[in-house]
Amino acid sequence: MESSTRTVAAATTDVEALLTKELQQLSFEARNKIQEEVHGVLSMAPTETPEMIQKSLNQLEQAVSQLPVDVKPAYTKALAMDSPYVHAKEFRLRFLRAELFDAATAAVRFAKHLNLLDKYFGTEALVRPLRWDDLGKREQEILRVGQTQVLPARDRAGRLVAVHIGSMGDNNTPGATRLRILLYMYSVIAEDVDTQRRGLVAIFVADKQHFERYNGGSVDYQKDLSELMKTMPVRWSAMHTLLPEGPLFKLLQALLVVILIRKNERVRMKFYTGCLSNIETQYKLMGYGIHIQELPVTHSGTIKNKNHLQWIKIRKIVGKERDKLLRHNHHQQQQQRGDDFPWIEHPRVNDVLFRRGGNSNHFGNLEFQQIMFSQAPVLQFNKQSHG
């Protein structure tokens, strides 16, 4: 026991030293930009112009063609299938934006992500966007619970916020099931252009009871989970991780930092001790521009899934409409990009919402209220002048 405690303490010290060292290696300007983006104050995404986008797409095409064959087996398979989906501008832009338009690193992310799609969903995932019906019955049941969901409200920077509570399913749930669900979720999230540009905010919540019994999964699962975290078609702009107290969770912190998260993204991680229903923790998250009213837990810690089930309903509709499009004209299959239906799943920060009960906490509504209040003296003066 004493030896185990020393091991945990050493791992914790090493992780903290690693994060401090990596942060210090950055310039003051780079550190400041990252921290401002984590807080949702600014975006590090470059300004896009048609010329810049076309140039980057050309560079990506060249970089992909120069990758070793063993790095891109799924892409090679897609070429043999004559699949325009993997060549679609909108699809490829996700990976360029995820790497801030660094074509060389975007090419690697693109190729490795296609490998995961092919491994867990087969060739169908190389010719069209993933849809709800691609998940099996058990996977759909697990996803409905709401341990993994996207908040209905964006943060103040207009980014989507994904929440992961514990590990999906029970201790007998295969790693492949969890990976298929995550691949589907991140593929859907990546359809949102604002999040492509500004990045995704994630909240990871470790469930004490689950992780005390969790064996970590197979080596293949850990490897592919790490690959997914590093090659998803949207970048991490902020990661908030909630861990209970205890030596096991110090080791979990080390696992997240050293294995699952890329070096250039580790500086975006924030760690908290406690649970998501804790008021103090919620106020800390609110400081980063997150709508705490939308967090999917009750005060007692029970998962709320009402908004999540509504999101699933929309995804079913999207999948059915895309399927109708295929049946209506098979040629349209070549034009499915993943952003081809105009429904608003997540209102933007400048939108003003109207519904029974009001929406005073939505950023667009708050801004609209401020505009109205600022004009109140003028309206009052005009009223008196024409009295």
Side-chain angles (χ1 to χ4, degrees):
M1 176 67 71
E2 185 177 343
S3 174
S4 175
T5 302
R6 284 199 300 268
T7 301
V8 172
T12 303
T13 302
D14 289 344
V15 168
E16 292 173 350
L18 175 64
L19 291 174
T20 301
K21 179 181 178 181
E22 291 178 348
L23 196 61
Q24 291 175 343
Q25 288 175 344
L26 298 172
S27 67
F28 173 78
E29 182 182 5
R31 288 199 302 269
N32 191 51
K33 284 184 177 180
I34 289 173
Q35 291 306 313
E36 288 186 338
E37 185 169 59
V38 169
H39 281 81
V41 177
L42 62 73
S43 172
M44 294 179 65
T47 301
E48 297 180 11
T49 65
E51 294 77 18
M52 174 264 215
I53 288 176
Q54 188 56 55
K55 180 180 178 181
S56 299
L57 288 169
N58 293 340
Q59 292 173 340
L60 177 64
E61 175 65 28
Q62 183 177 6
V64 170
S65 68
Q66 293 174 350
L67 290 175
V69 176
D70 61 341
V71 175
K72 54 180 181 182
Y75 176 71
T76 303
K77 186 183 295 186
L79 289 182
M81 297 168 60
D82 194 24
S83 167
Y85 176 62
V86 299
H87 290 284
K89 170 185 172 182
E90 291 78 9
F91 182 68
R92 292 192 165 201
L93 270 175
R94 300 176 189 181
F95 299 92
L96 283 167
R97 288 169 175 150
E99 296 290 352
L100 299 178
F101 285 87
D102 182 323
T105 54
V108 175
R109 180 186 284 252
F110 170 75
K112 290 187 174 182
H113 188 74
L114 288 180
N115 294 341
L116 285 176
L117 289 175
D118 183 38
K119 179 176 180 178
Y120 287 98
F121 285 95
T123 55
E124 282 293 304
L126 303 180
V127 299
R128 60 164 175 78
L130 292 179
R131 54 189 184 222
W132 174 257
D133 289 342
D134 290 324
L135 296 175
K137 183 178 180 181
R138 177 57 180 155
E139 293 159 351
Q140 292 177 358
E141 290 174 352
I142 292 174
L143 190 50
R144 283 192 184 97
V145 173
Q147 287 178 280
T148 293
Q149 57 179 285
V150 184
L151 298 189
R154 301 169 186 267
D155 75 347
R156 65 177 163 217
R159 303 172 294 193
L160 294 183
V161 181
V163 180
H164 303 276
I165 303 175
S167 186
M168 291 174 290
D170 53 35
N171 291 327
N172 296 319
T173 301
T177 296
R178 296 191 176 105
L179 286 167
R180 280 170 55 85
I181 293 173
L182 289 174
L183 275 165
Y184 171 76
M185 288 291 293
Y186 289 139
S187 293
V188 172
I189 289 171
E191 294 179 8
D192 184 78
V193 177
D194 287 344
T195 302
Q196 289 176 26
R197 293 184 175 125
R198 299 167 185 167
L200 173 67
V201 176
I203 301 175
F204 300 102
V205 185
D207 178 79
K208 187 173 183 179
Q209 292 183 348
H210 172 83
F211 277 99
E212 284 178 344
R213 302 188 302 270
Y214 183 52
N215 61 13
S218 67
V219 174
D220 283 343
Y221 169 69
Q222 293 178 9
K223 177 177 175 294
D224 285 349
L225 177 60
S226 176
E227 193 82 335
L228 171 59
M229 297 286 280
K230 295 172 183 177
T231 66
M232 51 186 278
V234 64
R235 66 188 178 93
W236 304 104
S237 57
M239 288 172 280
H240 303 276
T241 304
L242 283 62
L243 300 171
E245 293 184 356
L248 174 64
F249 298 99
K250 294 296 183 182
L251 287 176
L252 178 60
Q253 178 181 355
L255 173 69
L256 283 169
V257 171
V258 178
I259 299 177
L260 294 182
I261 307 300
R262 296 196 311 175
K263 178 180 177 180
N264 65 336
E265 293 174 331
R266 291 197 284 250
V267 292
R268 299 173 179 275
M269 301 184 75
K270 301 293 179 183
F271 289 94
Y272 312 86
T273 300
C275 58
L276 193 56
S277 58
N278 181 275
I279 298 299
E280 183 180 351
T281 302
Q282 290 186 4
Y283 274 101
K284 288 179 180 178
L285 293 173
M286 187 170 67
Y288 291 92
I290 295 172
H291 268 299
I292 62 173
Q293 295 85 356
E294 303 290 355
L295 293 176
V297 291
T298 64
H299 293 300
S300 62
T302 303
I303 294 176
K304 298 187 294 185
N305 66 352
K306 180 180 179 181
N307 291 326
H308 179 58
L309 293 177
Q310 184 66 25
W311 177 85
I312 290 176
K313 183 178 180 180
I314 293 175
R315 296 316 307 175
K316 288 181 179 179
I317 294 173
V318 171
K320 289 179 180 178
E321 290 299 319
R322 287 175 175 163
D323 197 44
K324 286 180 183 177
L325 188 62
L326 287 178
R327 290 199 302 267
H328 175 70
N329 186 346
H330 182 71
H331 178 69
Q332 293 294 325
Q333 177 180 0
Q334 318 304 338
Q335 300 177 13
Q336 288 199 44
R337 308 182 302 265
D339 60 351
D340 44 5
F341 289 91
W343 291 297
I344 299 175
E345 296 179 52
H346 305 275
R348 291 178 168 81
V349 291
N350 292 326
D351 291 339
V352 177
L353 308 184
F354 294 88
R355 70 180 182 191
R356 184 178 301 174
N359 292 276
S360 60
N361 291 316
H362 177 64
F363 290 115
N365 290 63
L366 292 173
E367 185 175 351
F368 182 66
Q369 289 173 9
Q370 290 176 357
I371 294 173
M372 294 298 293
F373 289 146
S374 69
Q375 296 299 312
V378 177
L379 295 173
Q380 184 66 25
F381 175 79
N382 290 338
K383 182 178 179 180
Q384 292 173 354
S385 298
H386 295 84

